[in-house]
Amino acid sequence: LFMVGVALPASYATLPLSRSSPWVFFFAAVIAAAWFGGRRSSFVATALLAVLGRYFFMSPLFSFSLSRDNFVLLLVFVCVSLFIGYIVAARRRAEDHEREERRRFEATVRSIGDAVIATDATGRVTFMNDVAQDLTGWNLSEARGRPLDEVFVIVNESTRQAAPSPVEAVLKTGMI
């Protein structure tokens, strides 16, 4: 309702500039309603804006009668707005879900009793749990962005020589 309350006066104020301006603000209101209120809010905003748009911005003004052209225009507005509302709300839900899954994943990885170090595609450290930080002597803030073989040196048990980095092998072959 707030977004409808903003879109209507903004559309009315810019009406002298462009006859199509009400729909621009109306679409923006549907997007904002979907983002902040979800799919149902965008559907309510679409319905209210369609009625208000017909009443205030279509000939004959201040009437609810619909000509064939006005009906088609309103139908297009409603269909596009419903689609926009559905897509925006779905994206918001997906982002919220991804954020929650990321928190759950990080909590799981942080609580594992073994050392866990993650790198990006170039072999630079992006994450270390507490066990890995204790084992390597590096804090995550210091290690982030550094090459793995600088942070975690693997030594051959029998020769005491530096062993090849498993990350390099994975990056070269694509196999774990």
Side-chain angles (χ1 to χ4, degrees), residues 47-173:
L48 286 172
L49 290 167
V51 170
L52 293 171
R54 166 60 207 103
Y55 188 77
F56 287 106
F57 301 108
M58 296 175 132
S59 298
L61 294 176
F62 312 114
S63 167
F64 289 110
S65 64
L66 277 175
S67 67
R68 183 170 185 254
D69 290 341
N70 286 346
F71 176 77
V72 170
L73 183 61
L74 278 178
L75 184 62
V76 168
F77 169 75
V78 168
C79 290
V80 170
S81 293
L82 291 176
F83 179 72
I84 288 170
Y86 180 80
I87 295 298
V88 170
R91 178 182 172 131
R92 178 69 186 254
R93 282 191 316 273
E95 287 177 358
D96 290 345
H97 179 74
E98 188 271 336
R99 207 173 296 113
E100 181 59 35
E101 288 298 315
R102 181 179 299 269
R103 277 194 293 267
R104 186 176 298 123
F105 171 75
E106 285 186 8
T108 301
V109 171
R110 286 190 186 286
S111 65
I112 291 175
D114 293 326
V116 177
I117 302 175
T119 68
D120 61 14
T122 63
R124 298 190 175 277
V125 174
T126 58
F127 173 82
M128 297 172 66
N129 68 357
D130 292 340
V131 177
Q133 291 178 58
D134 292 342
L135 178 69
T136 62
W138 287 78
N139 290 329
L140 177 58
S141 59
E142 297 167 339
R144 186 175 279 130
R146 294 184 182 266
L148 176 65
D149 54 0
E150 181 181 329
V151 174
F152 181 58
V153 179
I154 302 172
V155 177
N156 183 304
E157 183 179 15
S158 49
T159 65
R160 307 303 296 162
Q161 298 294 318
S165 171
V167 172
E168 287 180 27
V170 168
L171 292 175
K172 285 179 186 173
T173 65

